[in-house]
């Protein structure tokens, strides 16, 4: 992903470096070649600066939606009300003490902790297996008091040491005589503690997050010590701990018909063939560098449903920048929200959609490189002034149409 964004600049920087080094080491007597080299170096540098300015220059698009008058029905019927009437989950990622607490309770029937249920937040002292559930509990209580479903996100995730699993585990596994058995012990103890803590309260957990690294398994401490079996094992333990809980495998796919998408389907099939107790698949659906193809998404959900698994769209956000070529980027973004939600509503296997952020004023992409350097991200359905964007209207209409059917 980062490579995609920086590819041109990395190539250009390498060319400049090569030219500069050639100039440096070229024998002084060949003056014209030396001059040529330094000139080419200068031109490439200038070109690269101009390209960077063009790429990263902050852009803003006309907010045509501000001129639209929203219908009284839309203003008075929260999307939650529509979703409740058709038993569909419409969810939001949030944090304890979120400034949007009230709005979330009004508009959504499901929540997920954006960060507070992740291993890095819970297992505060890995060496002594010391957990701090205080913030996560606060969110759990808030969900229960307000009748919101809580999605558990996430138990086992091997991508970013420190945040997604304790860094100490790397040393533990490195020092282990039998890494596989040691890893099993870590997985078991972690899942037993965290799922056990929320048993009967969190009714749906992402047991494993983002197992794929392209076509193959992501090379993590989990896959390196256990291979694919770490997924089987995590699900087996999760099932033992809470047999009533719905167990999900969560992944970000973009190329549904491409290598990663197909490899993920292959993984699901193998898991099911081995009798792994998996109930559903979470498709994150972040729109970061690409607009997801709606027909491909539809076919993908159908394929997963055909395996007897449930599906949820678990982390939907849509980067505004992706619609820069459109006449009205905000409307095009809104149409994409509507289409994604509609695809889910249309397939009986797809049980809900969770959005990954409330307001454009506080969105995760503005805080994380490289996305923060390329604006506008504005990936949510309320703008920075908490005005409903076409994305809100789009989701509302999709739910309204489904209710009318
Ligand atoms: C992934 C994770 C989420 C979150 C987002 C970025 O999709 O599953 O928990 O970290 O990235 O905000």
């Amino acid at each position: 992903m980062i490579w995609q964004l920086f590819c041109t600049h990395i190539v250009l920087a390498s060319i400049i470096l090569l030219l500069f080094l050639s100039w440096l080491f070229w024998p002084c007597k060949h003056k014209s070649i030396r001059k040529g080299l330094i000139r080419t170096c200068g031109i490439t540098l200038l070109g690269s600066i101009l390209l960077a300015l063009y790429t990263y220059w902050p852009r803003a698009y006309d907010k045509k939606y501000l001129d639209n008058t929203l219908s009284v029905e839309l203003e008075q019927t929260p999307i939650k009300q529509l979703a409740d009437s058709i038993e569909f989950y419409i969810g939001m990622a949030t944090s304890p003490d979120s400034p949007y607490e009230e709005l979330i309770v009004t508009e959504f029937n499901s929540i997920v902790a954006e960060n507070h249920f992740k291993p890095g937040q819970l297992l505060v002292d890995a060496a002594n297996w010391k957990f701090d559930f205080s913030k996560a509990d606060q969110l759990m209580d808030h969900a229960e008091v307000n009748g919101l479903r809580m999605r558990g996100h996430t138990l086992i995730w091997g991508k970013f040491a420190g945040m997604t699993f304790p860094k100490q585990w790397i040393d533990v596994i490195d020092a282990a005589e039998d890494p596989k058995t040691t890893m099993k012990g870590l997985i078991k103890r972690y899942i037993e503690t965290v799922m056990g803590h929320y048993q009967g309260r969190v009714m749906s957990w992402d047991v494993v997050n983002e197992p794929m690294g392209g076509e193959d398994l992501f090379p993590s401490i989990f896959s390196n010590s256990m291979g694919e079996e770490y997924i089987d094992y995590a699900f087996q333990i999760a099932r033992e701990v809470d047999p009533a809980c719905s167990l999900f495998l969560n992944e970000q796919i973009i190329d549904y018909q491409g290598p990663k998408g197909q490899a993920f389907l292959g993984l699901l099939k193998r898991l099911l063939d081995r009798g792994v107790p998996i109930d559903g698949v979470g498709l994150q659906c972040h729109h970061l560098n690409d607009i997801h193809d709606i027909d491909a998404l539809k076919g993908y959900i159908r394929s997963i449903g055909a395996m007897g698994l449930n599906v949820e769209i678990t982390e939907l956000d849509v980067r505004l920048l992706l619609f820069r070529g459109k006449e009205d980027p905000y409307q095009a973004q809104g149409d994409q929200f509507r289409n994604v939600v509609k695809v889910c509503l249309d397939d009986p296997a797809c049980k809900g959609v969770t959005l990954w952020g409330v307001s454009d004023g506080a969105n995760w992409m503005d805080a994380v490189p490289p996305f923060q350097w390329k604006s506008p991200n504005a990936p949510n359905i309320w703008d920075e002034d908490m005005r409903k964007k076409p994305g809100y209207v789009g989701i509302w209409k999709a739910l309204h149409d489904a209710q009318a059917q």
Side-chain angles (χ1 to χ4, degrees):
M1 175 162 74
I2 292 181
W3 171 247
Q4 269 180 19
L5 273 174
F6 284 108
C7 189
T8 339
H9 294 107
I10 291 172
V11 170
L12 284 171
S14 315
I15 295 175
I16 295 166
L17 191 69
L18 267 176
L19 286 167
F20 181 68
L21 288 176
S22 323
W23 172 79
L24 214 58
F25 294 110
W26 210 271
C28 287
K29 53 183 179 181
H30 300 299
K31 283 214 171 104
S32 59
I33 299 182
R34 279 176 66 87
K35 251 192 203 164
L37 280 171
I38 203 69
R39 194 180 306 129
T40 321
C41 186
I43 292 170
T44 320
L45 186 63
L46 187 70
S48 167
I49 291 171
L50 289 176
L51 185 70
L53 277 177
Y54 172 76
T55 310
Y56 298 115
W57 196 263
R59 293 171 170 83
Y61 308 125
D62 205 7
K63 293 183 173 174
K64 294 187 186 161
Y65 61 89
L66 293 179
D67 300 334
N68 299 342
T69 316
L70 302 177
S71 72
V72 176
E73 190 189 6
L74 188 145
E75 288 287 20
Q76 291 180 353
T77 319
I79 47 180
K80 169 188 186 157
Q81 195 175 315
L82 299 172
D84 278 345
S85 70
I86 51 171
E87 293 184 16
F88 186 78
Y89 289 119
I90 189 78
M92 177 52 78
T94 185
S95 311
D97 304 318
S98 159
Y100 310 114
E101 228 166 51
E102 217 174 288
L103 175 133
I104 292 174
V105 170
T106 312
E107 294 282 355
F108 299 92
N109 57 21
S110 170
I111 59 169
V112 62
E114 186 174 356
N115 289 308
H116 287 82
F117 273 52
K118 290 177 183 167
Q121 299 263 341
L122 295 178
L123 185 47
V124 287
D125 176 1
N128 297 301
W129 283 93
K130 250 187 83 190
F131 286 81
D132 179 359
F133 285 106
S134 54
K135 286 288 172 190
D137 283 353
Q138 189 184 328
L139 206 55
M140 185 73 238
D141 293 344
H142 169 75
E144 280 177 345
V145 167
N146 292 289
L148 307 173
R149 178 198 57 162
M150 170 70 90
R151 286 200 84 244
H153 172 78
T154 178
L155 293 167
I156 302 297
W157 182 14
K159 266 194 186 160
F160 310 102
M163 174 169 89
T164 67
F165 64 90
K167 282 189 177 142
Q168 287 91 333
W169 286 7
I170 300 174
D171 301 332
V172 173
I173 292 298
D174 280 349
E177 259 178 48
D178 177 358
K180 185 171 169 179
T181 309
T182 307
M183 180 47 85
K184 277 187 164 181
L186 296 177
I187 291 177
K188 186 169 192 297
R189 186 160 179 187
Y190 185 83
I191 294 183
E192 279 177 352
T193 311
V194 176
M195 264 191 100
H197 187 84
Y198 291 112
Q199 183 171 7
R201 300 176 81 193
V202 171
M203 297 314 291
S204 173
W205 265 106
D206 288 335
V207 178
V208 174
N209 194 31
E210 297 183 342
M212 309 297 290
E215 283 175 67
D216 301 309
L217 280 188
F218 182 82
S220 65
I221 54 163
F222 302 105
S223 57
N224 291 344
S225 47
M226 289 185 71
E228 198 168 291
E229 207 189 316
Y230 90 88
I231 304 174
D232 304 32
Y233 188 69
F235 276 86
Q236 277 148 11
I237 297 296
R239 177 64 91 229
E240 278 167 27
V241 175
D242 191 348
C245 186
S246 217
L247 308 180
F248 271 67
L249 185 61
N250 197 46
E251 184 55 90
Q252 163 79 350
I253 309 280
I254 301 159
D255 59 335
Y256 297 103
Q257 287 157 343
K260 181 176 176 185
Q262 294 306 304
F264 185 64
L265 290 183
L267 170 66
L268 291 175
K269 188 168 179 316
R270 289 193 299 282
L271 294 175
L272 291 170
D273 287 348
R274 293 199 290 267
V276 175
I278 168 172
D279 300 304
V281 170
L283 297 174
Q284 294 183 0
C285 228
H286 289 292
H287 287 55
L288 294 169
N289 301 315
D290 299 280
I291 300 168
H292 292 233
D293 183 278
I294 293 297
D295 287 336
L297 173 62
K298 191 184 199 136
Y300 207 72
I301 294 176
R302 202 181 306 125
S303 307
I304 299 173
M307 295 184 191
L309 296 170
N310 286 328
V311 178
E312 288 198 34
I313 305 287
T314 50
E315 305 185 19
L316 178 62
D317 47 26
V318 181
R319 206 168 167 214
L320 183 64
L321 183 74
L322 302 179
F323 302 92
R324 55 185 170 271
K326 302 284 180 190
E327 199 202 320
D328 183 350
Y330 283 99
Q331 186 55 51
Q333 180 195 43
D335 293 344
Q336 183 70 7
F337 270 109
R338 179 178 184 164
N339 292 335
V340 171
V341 173
K342 180 171 164 31
V343 159
C344 183
L345 283 163
D346 284 349
D347 194 311
C350 197
K351 307 294 183 194
V353 175
T354 295
L355 307 179
W356 208 254
V358 177
S359 159
D360 285 345
N363 76 78
W364 72 272
M365 294 180 202
D366 279 353
V368 175
F371 310 109
Q372 65 181 173
W373 300 325
K374 255 183 135 179
S375 60
N377 288 309
N380 297 324
I381 61 171
W382 279 272
D383 69 14
E384 48 290 331
D385 301 318
M386 293 308 287
R387 299 280 296 253
K388 287 174 179 148
K389 291 168 62 186
Y392 180 94
V393 178
I395 293 176
W396 191 92
K397 285 188 175 154
L399 289 165
H400 191 260
D401 289 350
Q403 189 197 38
Q405 274 167 17

